[in-house]
Amino acid sequence: MNKVKTAVIVDDNPPTRTLIFEVLKGIGIKDIVQAINGEDAIAKIRETSPHLVIMDWKMDVMDGLECTQRIRSGIDGIDQKIPIVLLTGMVGTDAEKRAYGAGVDLFLEKPFSIKKLHSGIVKILGPA
């Protein structure tokens, strides 16, 4: 995970963004940018070219699924293959299938534990 230097957190809930921020700092990611919805995320991803995106599903303006689909479709200036973790209150097999169908690399239901988030990130990025 040493290769991962930059991440974007996309969530409309400030306490959730803070928790994710602390997890990312704890695993050595130094440059962490925060966005409040998918539209904001697209702009920040363009600006920072992050190595990882962690986002919520349900947000106003543009939700995490639509944002993921836009990234995977090759929107200008964004790496289509950037790893995306979707953290969501949406539960069940149907929600999980929709998320993976949209192109997320990891689907985690809220509430999530710090350990589960950390191990999920390691799973999709590989060990340090």
Side-chain angles (χ1 to χ4, degrees):
M1 234 176 325
N2 293 336
K3 62 188 178 292
V4 179
K5 307 274 189 240
T6 306
V8 173
I9 300 167
V10 189
D11 201 302
D12 54 0
N13 183 298
T16 301
R17 286 195 313 265
T18 299
L19 178 60
I20 297 166
F21 183 90
E22 293 303 322
V23 171
L24 294 176
K25 280 186 68 166
I27 60 174
I29 298 176
K30 307 252 187 271
D31 188 11
I32 303 166
V33 176
Q34 298 184 38
I36 59 170
N37 60 53
E39 187 175 281
D40 188 25
I42 294 287
K44 291 188 172 160
I45 292 167
R46 271 196 182 113
E47 291 168 14
T48 61
S49 298
H51 301 100
L52 175 67
V53 175
I54 299 178
M55 77 173 101
D56 187 19
W57 183 332
K58 293 293 183 183
M59 297 175 285
D60 289 337
V61 184
M62 182 192 302
D63 70 25
L65 229 49
E66 182 180 347
C67 184
T68 297
Q69 290 167 328
R70 289 187 182 198
I71 291 167
R72 296 299 186 234
S73 72
I75 198 165
D76 289 343
I78 295 177
D79 178 5
Q80 297 175 240
K81 295 181 174 141
I82 184 170
I84 299 172
V85 176
L86 190 72
L87 297 173
T88 181
M90 302 288 287
V91 297
T93 307
D94 288 343
E96 190 171 349
K97 284 180 186 174
R98 283 184 62 202
Y100 284 119
V104 303
D105 295 286
L106 180 66
F107 174 89
L108 290 176
E109 295 176 359
K110 291 180 180 177
F112 59 91
S113 68
I114 292 171
K115 182 178 180 179
K116 197 171 200 176
L117 178 58
H118 179 270
S119 64
I121 292 169
V122 170
K123 179 181 174 184
I124 64 169
L125 297 178

